[in-house]
Structure formats: C-alpha cells, structure tokens
Amino acid sequence: MRVIEPWVAAPLQGFLDESGARLTLLMTSAGQVIAQDGFTRSVDVMAAAALGAAIMASTDAIADVMSTAAFGVVLHQGPKQSLVLRAFWTPRGRWIGLVVFGSETSVGLVQLFFQELELALAKAAPAELPTRAVLAENFEYELNASLRSLFGR
Amino acid sequence: MRNLGDALERVTRVSGIRGAMLVAESDGLVVAEALAEGLDGAAVAALAASLTLRLRRTAISAGLAVPQVVQLRAERGTVLSVPVGDDLLLVAVAERDANLGLARLELRQAAAQLGS
C-alpha cells in the first residue's frame, strides 16, 4: 500500500484486510491519486485514476440529463474480475474509490467494507490544511513527488 | 415477486424472527427483504453469504456434502441460512428466545416453495 497522505493509511489498511480486494485506488474527483494498493506500475495507476474519474464524471452527467441524484456506485461485473467505483464525500471534498476484486470476495462484502472505510476516513481526516495555490512551475515537481510516494522511487 | 413476498412472510410470521432476506450468494446482495427497523440488511446479506459459501466449501472438503441449514448462534440471537436453488440463500435473523425449530422448518419450506 502507498499513500500520499499518511492519515489515509490506517483506514485503508482496515479495508484491505477485510475486503479481499485485489487492486484499490483512492483519488479525488479530478483524478488526483490519494492512495493505491496492488498496482505495480505508475503508468497503470495514473491511467486507472484518469479513467475512473472520467467514468464517474460521465455518470454524473447522465444523472444530470435524467434530472436525478448523482449515481454513487458503478459496478462492472466480469467473469473473473469485477470493478466497483464509488464516489463519496470526505472532509477533503469528493473522492472516488476504485476497487478490483475476484471470486474470493463479493460485491456485497466490498461495498460493506468500503462504507466502513468512508466512515473511518471521515473520522481520521485532520483539520483542513491551508489551501496552496497550484502553480504551473510546481506542477511537474509535485506530480513526481506524488509518484515517488505512491511507488517508492 | 408475490411469491417472494409470501415466502419471506412465512418466515417472519414465526415468533422472534426479526427479519428474512433472499440473498444472492455469489454477490452477497439482497434480492428481497422483510426486516425489522434497525436491522442492516445489506451488511447481514454480505456477511451471511460469505460465511455460508465458506462453510459449504468446508463441508464439501470434509466429505460432508452441502449443508442444508447453517445456524450461527450468538449471545443475543441467531442467524439461519438455507440454500435456494444454485445461487440464492434464504437468511433469517432470530432473537435469542425465538422458536428456532419452527423457524428452521418454515425456512426450509419457504426455500422449497421458492425453488419449485
């Protein structure tokens, strides 16, 4: 498991211990990675984050067209592996969880323990940090720092 | 759907039964439910399905064939689970002083009614 923000580690570890998930990714609704488990290549995690955020944005747009509340969960069920995408609110804004799992667990268990993760994250979140301006000249440095945190290199 | 409602009602009529659910075993999701207020059906369904699946594998590995009833007795009550067809479970949550013999009988008859 790799996390950008240390306070995420304990709640996420609890989820990983219980859920039987193969891959887990927490990201902001803009696709910025917060934590990951199971991914081995940075290119995979960045692609999964971008695609997961895009899928949730698409479902938000569909909900808007249908004049209904946003869909909180998207499930892609496959013969060997399935994927759950869940949008949820934290004290740090709206985040998205992407969980890949196989037949060793179930969508019911993954959803149950993800709900517990959401509550644990809400409890563990520290007081709001002062917001920093994101400058174009810092972007590459911060991206590389995040990748080092996520992949330890 | 009426058939489902009838089967669940048959189980919940037993004294001391707090709720009954039809659960997809492989997904751990609720298909239909009749629950008392305050009972978290989604959580019970997910955990009961996982438990029943593992107990079934255990029983088969031990050469005992498929369990007909799974009964989990806790300090304040009991969870009962019986298979319905290939991938469904009928699950009941009972209070400590419920008539478990009658509950098991009604569960098995309701499961047979749903499976037919």
Side-chain angles (χ1 to χ4, degrees):
Chain A
M1 177 182 60
R2 297 278 181 178
V3 298
I4 296 286
E5 300 197 38
W7 61 271
V8 174
L12 181 57
Q13 189 60 56
F15 170 76
L16 297 172
D17 291 344
E18 298 275 20
S19 68
R22 292 179 181 176
L23 300 173
T24 303
L25 184 58
L26 296 180
M27 67 195 103
T28 66
S29 54
Q32 184 185 357
V33 178
I34 305 290
Q36 69 94 354
D37 180 77
F39 289 87
T40 53
R41 296 191 314 159
S42 62
V43 67
D44 292 338
V45 77
M46 302 315 275
L51 292 168
I55 290 168
M56 290 312 292
S58 300
T59 60
D60 288 348
I62 291 169
D64 198 34
V65 168
M66 294 168 64
S67 300
T68 186
F71 299 109
V73 183
V74 176
L75 169 65
H76 290 268
Q77 199 147 16
K80 291 186 179 170
Q81 294 198 112
S82 300
L83 179 151
V84 168
L85 274 166
R86 281 182 70 100
F88 61 103
W89 286 95
T90 75
R92 296 295 176 83
R94 192 178 188 230
W95 286 8
I96 295 168
L98 182 158
V99 182
V100 176
F101 60 96
S103 59
E104 61 275 16
T105 184
S106 69
V107 61
L109 283 179
V110 168
Q111 298 235 64
L112 173 67
F113 293 119
F114 203 92
Q115 283 170 354
E116 292 185 2
L117 171 62
E118 290 172 20
L119 295 174
L121 286 172
K123 268 190 187 170
E128 191 69 36
L129 295 173
T131 50
R132 289 179 303 155
V134 179
L135 302 176
E137 61 260 32
N138 294 339
F139 177 78
E140 189 174 352
Y141 171 80
E142 294 199 354
L143 178 63
N144 286 330
S146 296
L147 288 172
R148 276 195 302 277
S149 297
L150 287 167
F151 292 96
R153 57 178 185 250
Chain B
M1 286 305 285
R2 187 176 167 190
N3 196 25
L4 286 180
D6 291 347
L8 294 178
E9 192 189 336
R10 176 176 198 147
V11 178
T12 54
R13 271 203 309 255
V14 176
S15 171
I17 296 293
R18 295 191 60 211
M21 287 177 289
L22 192 63
V23 177
E25 187 179 54
S26 57
D27 293 336
L29 297 177
V30 177
V31 176
E33 65 182 16
L35 300 174
E37 202 169 327
L39 201 54
D40 185 349
V44 174
L47 294 165
S50 173
L51 177 69
T52 306
L53 193 61
R54 282 165 171 71
L55 288 173
R56 175 182 298 166
R57 286 178 185 160
T58 305
I60 290 171
S61 299
L64 303 175
V66 177
Q68 295 303 300
V69 180
V70 170
Q71 183 170 331
L72 173 67
R73 188 143 200 182
E75 190 183 347
R76 283 187 271 168
T78 300
V79 176
L80 296 158
S81 163
V82 299
V84 180
D86 286 339
D87 189 40
L88 291 172
L89 295 171
L90 191 54
V91 176
V93 179
E95 292 172 351
R96 189 171 52 183
D97 55 355
N99 183 340
L100 292 180
L102 182 57
R104 286 169 57 136
L105 181 67
E106 292 293 353
L107 265 176
R108 293 185 66 167
Q109 289 185 350
Q113 180 185 335
L114 288 170
S116 62

